[in-house]
Amino acid sequence: MPLTRQQIAMLMQLVAETTSDELDCSGCLDHLAEFAETHLAGQPLSDALEEVRTHLKNCHCCEHEFQSFLEALKGMSDDSQ
Amino acid sequence: MSATHEDNGWVDRLRDPTLQPQALEQLRDLLLRGLRRAFLSKASDDAFVEDVTQDALVRILDRLDQFEGRSRFSTWAMSVAVRLATSELRRKRTRDISLDGITDGNALRIEFADESTEQPSASAERNSLLSKLQELIDERLTDRQRWAIQALLNGVPIEEIARRTDSNPNAVYKLVHDARTRLKQGFEQAGYTADDLVGLSQ
Ligand SMILES: [Zn+2]
């Protein structure tokens, strides 16, 4: 099966956003708690957290997990008030 | 519950045999609330959430040493639980996606058909970008790289690709990252910018 138009666009997006010093998935997920708190507080990102942001942009799996994580944090704080 | 209050002594309480049962109970409640909100609507039932919570508590106790205080304890604990839940859901969902159809010979093929509806000039630019892409894919990527990228584009998560190739997610990520780097360098050598790649491929 040839690539669909959408798959080609996804691949090009991935290629375009490639940088040389990216975190891998484990490195990204290990920093997710710190990243989420900083993100939710609207604070500036450190260099290490900036790498997490880049990884999330490039990795659908981790970005998807991050969105679930944000939901879970909302659930946790909603009910505890 | 304020952040500072909430963080009061989680680690100490979880390590203290007399305080641990109550601390675990509280942590369990927190994780259940979070996981229910994040996962109950996503084709998982409460039994799934309760199982994951139980597994997460075990893992959190196991890894207390790894909590470095870079976030609140509850946030860190939730990240452990969400990681487990996500992995488990992916395993369930992708069990049935077949990768058999992707073989070395037919991974990452591009067809240049059905561009007739576009303006001729836009279509020509796009076609030349896509020919370059196919050339780079054929000449610079290994079979394993082509296969892994095709699987990713088919929606198979990295974890699942790793599982099916007896590898680990980091190794697959590196394999794919290396492939992306090769493609990007190839495009740069041919004079394309990152903006060209995104703009022309839409
Ligand atoms: Zn990732």
Side-chain angles (χ1 to χ4, degrees):
Chain A
M1 276 267 281
L3 293 176
T4 65
R5 201 181 169 96
Q6 197 189 8
Q7 285 177 320
I8 291 173
M10 265 171 73
L11 176 57
M12 288 305 220
Q13 185 84 32
L14 280 175
V15 173
E17 288 171 350
T18 303
T19 59
S20 55
D21 50 0
E22 280 177 30
L23 280 183
D24 58 23
C25 297
S26 298
C28 171
L29 297 176
D30 286 345
H31 287 85
L32 216 51
E34 188 186 358
F35 179 82
E37 285 187 354
T38 312
H39 170 84
L40 290 173
Q43 288 165 353
L45 300 178
S46 64
D47 288 352
L49 294 184
E50 201 53 63
E51 283 186 38
V52 173
R53 198 183 62 86
T54 304
H55 183 93
L56 291 176
K57 249 176 75 186
N58 292 337
C59 179
H60 292 275
C61 291
C62 289
E63 167 59 21
H64 185 249
E65 183 160 337
F66 178 57
Q67 292 307 325
S68 300
F69 182 41
L70 289 179
E71 274 301 300
L73 290 178
K74 274 188 213 158
M76 195 167 74
S77 57
D78 273 359
D79 294 12
S80 63
Q81 276 159 12
Chain B
M1 229 187 265
S2 78
T4 41
H5 177 71
E6 186 205 16
D7 253 13
N8 264 347
W10 269 115
V11 176
D12 291 343
R13 289 165 60 217
L14 287 168
R15 282 202 175 115
D16 183 328
T18 54
L19 301 178
Q20 193 193 62
Q22 198 200 9
L24 275 178
E25 200 47 49
Q26 288 176 351
L27 188 55
R28 183 173 179 279
D29 279 351
L30 282 177
L31 297 181
L32 273 175
R33 277 184 218 140
L35 292 180
R36 282 189 178 126
R37 163 120 182 193
F39 294 99
L40 264 192
S41 58
K42 295 178 187 169
S44 65
D45 51 21
D46 210 51
F48 169 84
V49 170
E50 296 216 6
D51 284 350
V52 169
T53 301
Q54 205 51 44
D55 291 347
L57 290 173
V58 172
R59 186 172 290 194
I60 288 163
L61 283 179
D62 234 32
R63 297 186 176 181
L64 276 183
D65 286 345
Q66 292 175 23
F67 174 63
E68 297 170 348
R70 288 184 281 126
S71 66
R72 278 180 275 175
F73 180 83
S74 58
T75 309
W76 174 78
M78 186 54 87
S79 76
V80 173
V82 167
R83 205 159 168 177
L84 274 175
T86 308
S87 298
E88 191 49 40
L89 276 184
R90 278 186 192 139
R91 230 193 311 279
K92 282 185 175 187
R93 277 193 199 138
T94 53
R95 208 176 282 156
D96 303 327
I97 299 180
S98 170
L99 298 181
D100 298 343
I102 312 172
T103 57
D104 298 344
N106 68 9
L108 299 184
R109 305 316 309 169
I110 296 169
E111 256 179 20
F112 298 90
D114 99 32
E115 308 282 340
S116 50
T117 53
E118 295 176 29
Q119 292 178 353
S121 61
S123 175
E125 275 186 287
R126 178 176 154 82
N127 276 346
S128 95
L129 177 80
L130 296 186
S131 320
K132 189 69 197 171
L133 174 62
Q134 186 73 73
E135 178 195 316
L136 293 171
I137 286 170
D138 293 343
E139 291 177 4
R140 302 212 182 181
L141 302 192
T142 64
D143 287 342
R144 269 173 64 81
Q145 287 175 323
R146 281 191 282 271
W147 185 88
I149 292 180
Q150 178 74 62
L152 273 183
L153 295 176
N154 282 19
V156 184
I158 283 181
E159 280 177 357
E160 183 65 14
I161 296 174
R163 202 175 64 77
R164 296 198 198 184
T165 53
D166 291 324
S167 179
N168 63 69
N170 269 335
V172 175
Y173 186 87
K174 287 199 171 85
L175 180 78
V176 171
H177 181 260
D178 180 49
R180 288 162 50 198
T181 304
R182 290 181 195 191
L183 294 177
K184 188 169 192 194
Q185 285 168 350
F187 277 121
E188 282 168 357
Q189 285 158 5
Y192 288 101
T193 66
D195 286 345
D196 291 338
L197 302 187
V198 177
L200 289 172
S201 65
Q202 297 299 311

